Amino acid sequence: MAATDVFKVSILGKESIHCGFHLVPYIVQTVLNTLPSSTYVLVTDSHVANFHLAPFEQEFEAAIAAFPQSTKPRFMSHVIPPGETSKSREGKANVEDFLLLNRCTRDTVILALGGGVIGDLIGFVAATFMRGVRFVQIPTTLLAMVDSSVGGKTAIDTPLGKNLIGAFWQPEYIFIDAAFLETLPSREFSNGMAEVVKTAAIWTETEFDSLESRSAEIFAAIQSPSVNNAGRTKNTRSSAQELLLSVIVGSISVKAHIVTIDERETGLRNLVNFGHTIGHAIEAVLTPTILHGECVSVGMILEAEISRQMGILGQVGVGRLSRCLKAYNLPISLTDPRVASVPAAKLLTVDRLLDIMRVDKKNSGAEKKIVILSKIGATYEQKATVVPDAIISKTLSEAAKVVSGIPTHNPVKMATPGSKSISNRALVLAALGKGTCKLKNLLHSDDTQVMMSALIDLKGASFTWADGGETLIVQGGEGSLSVPAKGKELYLGNAGTAARFLTTVCTLVQSSPNDNAETTIITGNARMRQRPIGPLVTALQENGSKIEFLESQGCLPLSIAPQGLKGSRIQLSASVSSQYVSSILLCAPYAAEPVTLELTGGQVISQPYIDMTIAMMKEFGVDVTRRVDAASGNLLDIYDIPKSTYLNPTEYNIESDASSATYPLAIAAITGTSCTIQNIGTSSLQGDARFAKEVLEKMGCQVTQTATATTVQGPPIGQLVAIEEIDMEVMTDAFLTATALAAVANGKTRILGIANQRVKECNRIRAMMDQLAKFGVETVELDDGLEIIGRPISELKRGVSIHCYDDHRVAMAFSVLSSVISETVIEEKRCVEKTWPNWWDDLENKIGLKVEGVDLASVTPKASASGTNSYNTDASILLIGMRGSGKTFVGNLAAATLSWTCLDADAYFEEVHQMGVRRFVHENGWPAFRAAETAILEGLLTERPTKHVISLGGGIVETPSARQLLKDYAAKKGPVVHIMRQIDEVVKYLGVEAARPAYGEPIEDVFRRREPWFTECCSHEFVNHVGDTSDAKQGTRNEITRFFKHITGQQPNLAQNVAPSRRSYFLALTYPDVTQALNQIEQLSEGVDALELRVDLLRQDYESPGPYIPSKAYVLDQVAALRSVTSIPIVFTVRTISQGGSFPDTAFDEIFELLELALRLGVEYIDVEITLPGKRIRELISRKGSSQIIASFHDWSGKMKWNGLLVKEKYEIAHGLGDIVKIVGKADSIQDNLELFEFVTKVNNLPRAKPIIAINMGVEGQMSRILNTTFSPVTHSLLPFKAAPGQLTFKQIQEALNLVGLLPPRRFFLFGTPIAYSMSPTLHNAGFEVLGLPHTYELLETAEVGEEIRAVIAAPDFGGASVTIPFKLDIIPLLDQLSPAAKAIGAVNTIIPLSRSADGTSWKLYGDNSDWLGIRDSISARVPSVQAALVIGAGGTARAAIYALQALNAQIIYLYNRTTSKAQSLAVAFPNARIKVLDTVEQWPAGAVPPSVIVSTVPSSAMTMAADNNILPLSSKLFEYRDGPAVVIDMAYKPAETPLLKLAKDAGGNWATVPGLDVLLAQGFVQFEKWTGRRCPKIIVTTRVRSKYNGEA
């Protein structure tokens, strides 16, 4: 064996960890010599095998060849698929099967060669195979070397979480071959460094110091491949290899020590899980796209912030940890682009993460445990600490809410973080200087991290930390700077100061033969690439520097050539930013010639910051001279800077940040408390230090200021006074704080001198104006400032959500205002990390205002009337709309449908004011009427909050106060419905209406003015289609019923078949104009549960080719047209081109406008593609009310595999967003359908499974359409074309289901006698045929309910039965359960077998009565409401008629029977039905309302036109009712026209007639649906039944 030097680490008393380079021969010999076995099995994955398997196979084969034949062991290798999916129950079983098939026994030694997945999986196999076999860990990734391979933890993943099933099983050896890392991608190396940093952070500060300062060297160690096995022995090992090995050994040694003390993780071993509690939760959502170490890196920062929030860890510790992790290219927040760009990141809600964290091995019951840092290198406890959910939630939340109140720590005394301005200047000065400088009170923030990182990349200085991170030691580079490595850009985020300073710093770079890049690239985030830097670049270009704009002119990114700064005369426009001036001043001493800097362009912005720069330069040894006008003595904007080198002072103390100090001082001012800020006073270098005296004192505060401290005592709450005018040019950053205070000050405040604030992190002036408007505060924008009109605190709106534009100053300014305005949510809370990372913690811990976390993903937006639809189902409904739109008509019908009260606000107005509206306006004028009308509205909302439909006047939206009432009601209380009608119909109606006063202007103009107000105020829209035909009127009535029951949640109009063990379908309409299909809707919708309206296929302009966006008005008309003919649920779909549709892919705004419209129209199902912007999807979902979201994903590329990771990721996203999940792929073979079926089976077995639509496109995917159970899209022969390739008709799918045994044929029967001439077989068999159902309906005529019937209903293929005379009572003993209707009526006419067991093998027989439903439907189709009704007869059918009328809420039911006693007995049986028994058929009480509904249940032979013995006499008096629609139903089967019906026809006018055959059909349709779950195809069935009936008549 070749000579090998290894470093051995002891664990659990045994030196089993061996570390070195190029160890393959050493590993093989050590294993063979010390672990004798009959069989050695090496398991790896296909990726690692490509790099390392062959050397192992060669070494084992060569070594085994030397064994004697009798003892020669076997060596085998087994390669598995790479990735986390192999680390599963199935993956474990596959390895075990391999071992068993190859006759492996208990003496087998298994070698795990690979990363963490291989180590965890094979370790668990070893722990359980043959009850435990020996194994060896050979990790090939840094992550596995320092983490998973050490300690004996083995595990596999489950769908509910990572590593939840496993065992402790110690390996015999762990071989750490650092040479493997030479083939490791850079990202994987960083992945492992997360664990290295973690270990140092919890245990060894000195090791952390090394990691912090030597990141570049450590990276370099893996970037230079060793040659000829260099490093195997110490004498061939390079310094880079030594460094790398020391890092690995150092990290492993700590973990080995901890494991030795606490092998089974009872306490101390918890510590190595620092960052893992939250990190694992993140990983569970983002795996495999985001790596383990990357998730843990984010988890470490979040857990460190929890420690900071608890007051245990200081910001210095959080800052150091952040910088160190970023140095190894690791993400440190969920907003990192690498994380945020992952689609699954949408699922990282606080609730989701907390839910995942519940299943954690460290937890004790419901208590979550987290490792809490106390400082770098130490933990708060020697175990994980219990942390309440509220603290975790606050840290995880992306937004914050300050609980308004008085600071509990009053009087407050505190210091703010180091000044950002001074920190950045000090970093540049010390880096460019000569010697060592200790910087104290440096700001630990994003900005300073960016500056330090850039200076390191430029090799301009070295940085180390002392005093536990409180002191930064800078070793200056004396102006020597280098071009960063090729491909390395200086990414500055949104750090404007760093961008401007570094632009000039980079001109100092000199080229070198060692450079592998030609220029230095400076870039930033999207906002930074918009912020101006043009004047500075122009000045440098004119001075000879070669700088190019790589994208937009005048903005980052920049390319800067390494040729040094020329110097001499430099002219610079300084009217935009003083940072341009400071940038040149700081670098000028290093120019080739002394610099004369002349400022041009008028007024110089923020002179105090220029003075600050000059003062600081002087402290670092360079004097800047500002020229003076000899004649006037005035200072000139010309500066002379000598050629020199900065001399670093031994120590430099950085002032606290004066801009940040304005926030706690302002909180004292606004809450009437006291605050003292230390380290900020009259001697400050910063202009913002003047804020207290020049702003707060003028607003009524008491201000005391010394050289080093500032104290503010606020006036009593609400007594701040406005400042008439103030120029804040010397403290521009503080204007936001002043603006927040001015919002509640008494009077108008004018702030000037802040024009440059438009080009900061955002346009701050506009930002403050827009966000203050949400509170109801008025502002006026000026050229160089703004005016704020203050309002009393009590008048400002509560519950406002503030958008911060990723601007730290916006967030902190509004946190001041939120201290007195309750429920204010500050979005993007993390933007404060730019200057005060621990602001929210300090606000609570040092000031004493409680701060709560807010998860925006779960917040209901409240910006519009449609803010929420989660109303109380009894909440009153408000109707708004133009006069003449039909509010009263719709309101009355809606109230009748809901069994509520309809109230006309105009009538109520007249009742209250004792005069009509017209007269009130005439006497008092319109303004007085509008005020009175608003007062009436306010009263109604208080007095009639539930079970009322309130019709409001058309002009209710004319005043802002009334509009606000409506919007507030719609957002929080109940529906506000805009009743819409064609304007020409409104004009026609109003031409003859005279009850209200005239408009005094054209109606069309009134409509145009009010229309946007109606839209603004309503939560829903209802289109009132007015038609003259009975079908049109019935369509309107049906739609009113559907719409109002749906939006109230009383009876959401959802498809009943979208349920477990059922199949549901929708027909995809492909018409450009659905009105073409209205007369065929009945046929088109045969068998389906919903109609899909493909909005992207709608076109007003048939001639326009390509992508098309239909107008909202056109889409609204299309939905209304569909609703006029059918109440079947609608699936509203806007499919884009990339998803197989016709809508433009990037038209997000238009898509959401249409989806919002669908919700307002009460559409039942909204298809939302999950690739749309997540925040907007969540906002839409928050307004869905009773409607449901189909969260869909379409892959037309064919790349998505049903057994792959992409589909799991998309399912998780869709599951989190939708009520129904829809995933559409593309099939290339039958195997794709089988994999789809397996995927669906798995997800349906998961906890909280949701209905899923899973289909494959194309002809090859038709099998998936047949097997899919939820909302399978189908086509129809009447459609112009199929909506998607491979679509089948409903009938085709049923026939296919029958052929594959998933839809077995059932037998249905009619029991009774005589039944030979029954129409039921024709009815049901016709329905079965049309829908492709394999069932049959037969007659079973018997003399009694005997054995024959018993045998039929017990047969396995029994589907159901109709029961007629004389068996409606006799059948009851054979049934298991009766419906309420059957019990009340006392008869059964329908038998339905219901499944008792989940597998469908056990049944119960359910008896129902559909006679009453046939009667009810026949009435409701013709009469909107029933005031009075007449039932003739007292038998079983009369009971059904009374039950039906009672269900229709008939106000009185007259009952006549020839034998009065029978009628009286029947009335007693229905005590709540309001029945009055008549002595004669036409004798209802004098003055009472005549019946509008008549139901005869006696044979036709029992009636005649004239009196006769035993014959019921009829006369036209029966049909006295003339005040609306009326109907007469004769249950007699024959003749087709009975005497009663003939008399009704002769009466004419408003009376409709319904013969018995129609009722038979109606109740048959009900039976059909109850048995099959499908609506009966009425048109064809009716035609066939009538044909048979007429043929036999």
Side-chain angles (χ1 to χ4, degrees), residues 760-872:
K760 292 288 188 174
E761 282 80 347
C762 65
N763 181 339
R764 286 176 171 168
I765 295 175
R766 173 49 56 185
M768 293 302 292
M769 294 175 66
D770 288 347
Q771 299 310 304
L772 282 177
K774 294 178 179 179
F775 293 94
V777 176
E778 295 182 39
T779 55
V780 178
E781 187 168 5
L782 308 173
D783 288 344
D784 68 339
L786 79 164
E787 286 181 349
I788 308 99
I789 297 89
R791 295 183 64 180
I793 291 173
S794 60
E795 293 183 8
L796 267 63
K797 292 180 185 175
R798 270 57 179 167
V800 168
S801 187
I802 297 299
H803 177 56
C804 298
Y805 308 90
D806 197 28
D807 190 323
H808 53 129
R809 305 243 175 259
V810 173
M812 289 189 278
F814 277 102
S815 68
V816 171
L817 192 56
S818 65
S819 67
V820 293
I821 307 298
S822 63
E823 300 299 314
T824 302
V825 174
I826 311 292
E827 301 172 9
E828 311 147 87
K829 71 170 189 182
R830 290 189 174 276
C831 63
V832 302
E833 292 171 0
K834 191 176 180 69
T835 49
W836 198 338
N838 49 324
W839 165 244
W840 305 111
D841 298 335
D842 285 351
L843 194 54
E844 182 160 336
N845 298 336
K846 295 182 179 180
I847 296 175
L849 287 173
K850 184 174 175 57
V851 179
E852 298 175 349
V854 178
D855 184 11
L856 294 178
S858 62
V859 171
T860 300
K862 298 178 181 176
S864 71
S866 303
T868 175
N869 290 96
S870 299
Y871 308 128
N872 178 341

Side-chain angles (χ1 to χ4, degrees), residues 416-432:
T416 61
S419 163
K420 180 182 73 133
S421 301
I422 297 177
S423 291
N424 275 312
R425 286 166 172 79
L427 284 170
V428 173
L429 288 165
L432 292 176

Side-chain angles (χ1 to χ4, degrees), residues 500 532 535 573-578 580 603 605 755-757 759-760:
R500 286 154 182 166
S573 174
S575 60
V576 176
S577 174
S578 65
Y580 300 159
Q603 177 69 38
I605 294 293
N756 71 322
Q757 293 293 303
V759 292
K760 292 288 188 174

